[in-house]
Amino acid sequence: MRVLVVEDDVEAAAYIVKGLRESGHVVDHAADGDDGLTLAMSGKFDVLVIDRMLPKQDGLSVVASLREEGQTTPVLFLSALGEVEDRVSGLRAGGDDYLTKPFAFAELLARIEVLVRRSSPGEVQTRMKVGGLEMELLSRKVTRDGEVIDLQPREFRLLEYLMKHAGQVVTRTMLLENVWEYHFDPQTNVIDVHISRLRAKIDKNFEAPLLHTVRGAGYTLRAPQ
Amino acid sequence: MPRNKLLSTTTFRMAVVYLALFMASASALLGYLYWNTAGFLARQTEATVQAETAALITQLEEGGRAALVHATITKARDPRQNLFLLQDANGEKLGGNLDVWPDQTTGVGGWLNFEYARRTAEGDIEFHEAQAVATDLPDGLRLLVGQDIEERRRLEAQITNALAWAVAAMIVLGLAGGAIISRNVVARIDDINRTAKDIMGGELSRRIPVTGAGDEIDQLAENLNDMLDQIERLMLGMRQVTDNIAHDLRSPLNRLRNRLEVTLMKPATQEQYAEALERSISEADELLGTFNALLLIARAEAGAARDGMDWVDLSALVHDAAELYEPVADEAGLDLTLDIEPNLDYRGHRELLAQMIANLLDNAIKHASGDAGGRTIHMALKARGMLGAEIVVADSGPGIDTDDRERVLGRFVRLEQSRNTPGSGLGLSLVNAVARLHGGDVRLEDNQPGLRAVISLARRARRRPSDLAAE
C-alpha cells in the first residue's frame, strides 16, 4: 500500500515511516502542509496520514482543499488534540478517522488497514462470511457451520464490526469507539471480557478458532488457514 | 496622602473638570444677573441724560438762547439729582447747578466722568462721582448734562462684590468637596491596590476590605475577593496536581527505568528482550492512562469541558455503562441490579458523564468482588427535585470509613485496603470533578455493608415525552 505521512515532528515522522515500511507499505513523507497537499494531490496514495498541526498550512485545511478538489483518498488524522470537539472538527473537515497522540503503533496500522478496506468499492453487504461463520445482517441471524448462534444485541454489533474488518487487527480502542461509542479508556479491560464471551459463543464448540488475540494490539477475526 | 498624588487621581481630576463646567455655567448666570442689575442702572443713567440734553436742545431750537438758559436754570432747581451747566463762548456760566466745567476730557460718545463738590443738607462738602455728556451748541454755547452716579457706583460695587464672593466660595467649596470625595475614593482604591500588591508579593490569602456601604466600590471589592477565592482554589488544585504527579508518578517511572536497565545489564535472549519491552510498553500505557485521567480531571475542574455540553440521554448512558460492565461483574460473581428511570435527558458532557458512571461501576466491581460482603451491586438513576438527577451506585464491599470519605475524592488517594487492587487512585477524583462540572456533588454513604455513592446532578434534566422514546 502507498501511504503518505504528513508530519512535521521529525522524530514522530521517522517512527511512523519506519513502522509502516517494516509492515510492508510504501511510504512517502512530507514535513509541512503545503508539501503534503502537493503530494496528496497526485492521487497516487491509498491512504493519507496527516497531522493536524502543521507548518505553513494546518492539516484541517489540507484535507479541506483535497476534498474540494474531489480527492477521495482516505485520510487518517493524527493529532495531540484529542477532545471530542477536536475529533468532530477533524472528521467534518473531511477526515475519515482520527487518532489521538500518543498512540500505539499497532492501532495506527490497524486503522490504516481498516480505512483502505473501507474505501475500496464493493456492493452493499447484507451477508458476511468468515470461515464457517455467517452473518445475515437483515435478519440478524448468525450461524457457524449451519449451527445457529444466539447473540445479545451488543455481541451482534461486536461481531459485525469484527467481521467487517475480518483479517485485520482491530484494537480495543476501535471497538470501544465503534461498538460502544465511548471515546475514553475504561480502567479495567472490559473489552477483553466481552470478547471472551463472544469467543465462547462462536469458537468454543468448534475445532478451529476464528477469533484471535493479537498480543499488544487487539484482536483479529480470520478464517482458519 | 501626598498632595501631588491627590491631584493626579482620576476622581480629583473629574471633580476639577466638573467644577470648571459648573463655574462656566454659573459665570454665565452671574453675568446675566450683573448685566440685568448694574448694566440696567448704567443704561438708565445714559437714557435720562440723553433725554434731558435732547429736551434742552429742543428749547434752544424753539425759543432761542433765552429759552435755553431759562430751561437750564429751571431744571437745575429740580430736586432730582440731575446736573446741568450751560456756558457761553467765554466760559461764563449762564445757568445750571454745577459751578465749574470739569477738567476731564470727553470720552466715547461725548461722555465724561468726573467728581464734583456738593453741599449736603448739613452744610458739609462732599465729593460725588458723576457722569455727564457735553454738547457744543451754536454761538459757542456749551451744555453739560449729567447725573450723580455715586449711589449707582455703590450698588454696582456691592453687586460685584457679592458676585466675586459667590465665585470664590464656589471655587473653594468645589475644590474642597472634590478633594474630600476623591480622598475617600482614593483611600479605598488604595486599599485595593495595596491588597493586590500584597497578593502579588505572595500573601495569597489577603482580601480587600469591604466597608459594608454596599456601594460600587464595595461591590467591586466583593467581586474581586470572589475572583481571588476562585483563583486560590484553582491554584491550590494545580499545586496538588503537581505534587501528586511528582509523588505518584515517580515510582512507576522509576520501575520502568529500572526494568530497562536491568534488562540491558546481562545478556539475554530475543524472547527475554521482547518480554521486557512488552512489559515496559504496558507500563508506559498505564502511565499515559494516568496522565490522561489527570488532564481530564484538570479540564473538568477548570470548567473547560463546558463547551462540549449537549443534551444527553442519561437513561441510555447509564444503561450502556451497565451493559459494558455487566460481563465483568458477572465474571467476578457479582449480581448487578438496575433501577433506571427511563426517558431522562440531561444537559451535560456525554463523554465525561459516561466516564464518571464507568468509574463508579469499575470501583464498585473492584471492591464488591473482595472477600467481604454480599456480592451485589445496585445502580439507580432517578429524577430529583427541580429537573435534577441522581445516580446511585451501591456495592456490598468493605465500604469506606466515615473519616476517609472526604479524602478519597482527592487525587491519587488509595486506601490501605485497596492497595492490592489495580488502579491509579484517580477514579473517584474524576467522578468528583465531573459531578462538580455539572453543578452537582458526590456523597459517599454507608450501604450497610458497603459503599453507596450518590451523585446528584444539578437542574439540567428534562423528561422526554414517553411516546418519543417508545421504540
Side-chain angles (χ1 to χ4, degrees):
Chain A
M1 239 172 348
R2 289 206 65 136
V3 185
L4 173 65
V5 176
V6 191
E7 164 68 74
D8 60 317
D9 183 73
V10 182
E11 224 169 285
Y15 162 67
I16 297 169
V17 170
K18 181 168 179 276
L20 287 174
R21 286 198 178 129
E22 280 173 6
S23 313
H25 301 294
V26 180
V27 188
D28 273 343
H29 170 236
D32 64 58
D34 287 355
D35 287 357
L37 183 58
T38 317
L39 276 169
M41 286 302 289
S42 69
K44 61 181 181 183
F45 297 99
D46 299 306
V47 66
L48 312 172
V49 176
I50 300 179
D51 187 12
R52 255 191 76 161
M53 288 179 288
L54 288 168
K56 291 187 183 169
Q57 198 182 133
D58 74 9
L60 284 187
S61 80
V62 169
V63 174
S65 321
L66 271 177
R67 295 296 184 246
E68 225 163 80
E69 295 295 323
Q71 278 280 347
T72 55
T73 319
V75 169
L76 171 69
F77 270 120
L78 211 53
S79 173
L81 307 172
E83 299 306 328
V84 178
E85 301 91 82
D86 300 323
R87 293 157 173 255
V88 168
S89 68
L91 296 175
R92 290 225 170 108
D96 298 277
D97 200 357
Y98 200 106
L99 187 60
T100 315
K101 289 180 186 173
F103 55 90
F105 190 79
E107 177 150 18
L108 174 69
L109 203 58
R111 283 177 187 258
I112 286 176
E113 283 167 3
V114 168
L115 272 184
V116 172
R117 165 72 69 95
R118 201 163 63 196
S119 74
S120 48
E123 71 274 26
V124 181
Q125 282 183 315
T126 59
R127 265 179 97 82
M128 288 189 290
K129 193 171 189 306
V130 177
L133 188 66
E134 284 182 63
M135 177 179 268
E136 191 70 58
L137 282 168
L138 297 178
S139 64
R140 302 182 79 79
K141 199 172 123 187
V142 179
T143 55
R144 184 164 178 191
D145 300 338
E147 207 170 302
V148 175
I149 295 173
D150 194 23
L151 292 179
Q152 300 286 321
R154 191 72 67 170
E155 290 168 341
F156 185 87
R157 280 181 65 183
L158 183 57
L159 182 61
E160 179 188 351
Y161 190 81
L162 287 165
M163 287 185 85
K164 267 193 182 146
H165 305 109
Q168 300 159 19
V169 175
V170 173
T171 67
R172 292 180 180 82
T173 323
M174 287 160 84
L175 290 173
L176 267 169
E177 284 182 3
N178 291 291
V179 181
W180 279 272
E181 283 161 58
Y182 279 170
H183 293 267
F184 63 87
D185 207 5
Q187 290 166 322
T188 15
N189 239 332
V190 286
I191 294 296
D192 295 345
V193 185
H194 283 269
I195 288 281
S196 75
R197 286 199 153 192
L198 181 65
R199 182 177 275 147
K201 289 189 176 176
I202 64 170
D203 276 347
K204 201 177 174 189
N205 301 320
F206 303 91
E207 203 170 302
L210 298 176
L211 188 48
H212 304 270
T213 303
V214 181
R215 221 167 146 204
Y219 306 96
T220 182
L221 188 77
R222 61 166 183 262
Q225 304 298 314
Chain B
M1 190 187 321
R3 212 166 50 112
N4 57 345
K5 191 179 169 193
L6 174 64
L7 294 181
S8 69
T9 62
T10 313
T11 330
F12 188 72
R13 262 179 287 166
M14 270 165 64
V16 169
V17 169
Y18 178 73
L19 186 66
L21 281 172
F22 178 66
M23 278 184 47
S25 54
S27 303
L29 185 71
L30 293 179
Y32 178 71
L33 216 65
Y34 183 85
W35 186 78
N36 251 339
T37 50
F40 174 72
L41 291 176
R43 285 193 299 279
Q44 213 177 28
T45 305
E46 285 169 18
T48 311
V49 169
Q50 267 157 357
E52 293 283 19
T53 308
L56 287 175
I57 291 171
T58 315
Q59 287 293 325
L60 177 68
E61 282 164 355
E62 285 176 357
R65 180 178 170 141
L68 173 62
V69 172
H70 178 74
T72 311
I73 293 170
T74 318
K75 278 184 184 289
R77 284 203 206 107
D78 199 299
R80 288 178 301 175
Q81 292 196 323
N82 287 348
L83 304 171
F84 297 96
L85 180 60
L86 183 64
Q87 280 186 337
D88 63 10
N90 303 321
E92 290 293 319
K93 174 178 170 182
L94 297 178
N97 48 14
L98 282 174
D99 296 327
V100 259
W101 191 274
D103 299 334
Q104 279 84 359
T105 47
T106 43
V108 183
W111 286 97
L112 52 116
N113 290 313
F114 59 95
E115 279 193 337
Y116 75 104
R118 167 194 163 119
R119 203 177 296 271
T120 63
E122 291 83 34
D124 298 330
I125 301 264
E126 55 182 21
F127 289 92
H128 274 204
E129 205 182 331
Q131 191 177 30
V133 69
T135 319
D136 288 321
L137 298 172
D139 305 328
L141 289 174
R142 280 206 296 169
L143 175 66
L144 187 76
V145 179
Q147 204 169 34
D148 188 311
I149 55 165
E150 190 68 22
E151 199 62 29
R152 202 189 97 202
R153 281 283 187 248
R154 235 189 335 262
L155 205 61
E156 273 176 6
Q158 269 174 3
I159 292 171
T160 318
N161 226 352
L163 293 186
W165 273 110
V167 170
M170 214 159 64
I171 292 175
V172 170
L173 287 177
L175 281 177
I180 290 168
I181 291 172
S182 24
R183 218 185 164 82
N184 276 337
V185 174
V186 167
R188 294 175 63 189
I189 291 182
D190 265 359
D191 280 344
I192 299 180
N193 278 330
R194 230 188 339 269
T195 312
K197 278 216 185 74
D198 288 347
I199 291 172
M200 281 187 282
E203 283 185 64
L204 295 180
S205 56
R206 275 293 306 273
R207 292 296 176 266
I208 299 158
V210 176
T211 59
D215 55 7
E216 293 86 344
I217 298 187
D218 258 10
Q219 285 172 20
L220 174 70
E222 275 165 20
N223 283 335
L224 286 174
N225 283 343
D226 288 350
M227 187 179 81
L228 290 169
D229 286 345
Q230 175 86 1
I231 291 174
E232 201 186 8
R233 254 199 312 279
L234 288 175
M235 291 248 310
L236 208 69
M238 214 154 69
R239 195 176 309 151
Q240 264 170 11
V241 177
T242 327
D243 287 355
N244 291 336
I245 291 178
H247 282 113
D248 288 71
L249 292 183
R250 200 165 27 199
S251 39
L253 277 170
N254 251 326
R255 226 174 21 240
L256 183 64
R257 195 193 165 283
N258 291 346
R259 172 168 314 119
L260 293 171
E261 197 179 17
V262 167
T263 312
L264 275 181
M265 265 157 60
K266 52 180 196 290
T269 62
Q270 193 73 30
E271 285 75 37
Q272 281 168 322
Y273 280 133
E275 200 212 321
L277 282 176
E278 256 168 34
R279 284 177 62 190
S280 302
I281 286 175
S282 81
E283 198 142 285
D285 281 348
E286 245 168 64
L287 279 169
L288 282 172
T290 305
F291 269 113
N292 280 341
L294 277 174
L295 281 174
L296 213 57
I297 292 169
R299 242 173 68 87
E301 276 180 354
R306 232 162 246 143
D307 295 344
M309 292 213 176
D310 207 347
W311 285 104
V312 176
D313 183 348
L314 196 58
S315 307
L317 206 65
V318 177
H319 246 298
D320 285 354
E323 195 259 4
L324 179 68
Y325 277 92
E326 194 269 328
V328 185
D330 198 34
E331 236 165 58
L334 297 169
D335 188 17
L336 176 62
T337 55
L338 302 176
D339 177 12
I340 297 170
E341 196 163 308
N343 305 331
L344 200 61
D345 273 358
Y346 185 76
R347 189 165 177 77
H349 196 286
R350 182 183 184 275
E351 294 294 319
L352 286 177
L353 285 171
Q355 180 142 20
M356 175 180 83
I357 301 165
N359 280 5
L360 284 169
L361 271 172
D362 204 89
N363 259 354
I365 290 171
K366 258 183 233 160
H367 297 300
S369 52
D371 298 330
R375 302 191 160 270
T376 60
I377 294 172
H378 180 70
M379 185 151 145
L381 169 69
K382 293 232 175 336
R384 271 280 175 272
M386 282 283 293
L387 301 174
E390 191 174 86
I391 299 170
V392 180
V393 179
D395 65 59
S396 58
I400 297 177
D401 286 342
T402 325
D403 303 341
D404 290 329
R405 283 184 196 152
E406 195 61 34
R407 204 162 63 85
V408 290
L409 298 178
R411 293 184 185 87
F412 291 112
V413 177
R414 305 199 64 201
L415 299 175
E416 225 24 75
Q417 62 210 35
S418 59
R419 281 283 164 206
N420 297 324
T421 52
S424 57
L426 291 172
L428 277 177
S429 136
L430 180 75
V431 169
N432 192 29
V434 175
R436 279 176 176 223
L437 176 72
H438 292 87
D441 58 27
V442 182
R443 288 197 312 278
L444 298 178
E445 298 169 352
D446 197 346
N447 196 35
Q448 297 176 332
L451 183 70
R452 196 177 123 87
V454 182
I455 316 296
S456 46
L457 299 171
R459 23 176 91 189
R460 291 195 205 108
R462 70 176 177 205
R463 214 184 285 269
R464 242 170 316 131
S466 47
D467 56 324
L468 267 177
E471 286 180 50

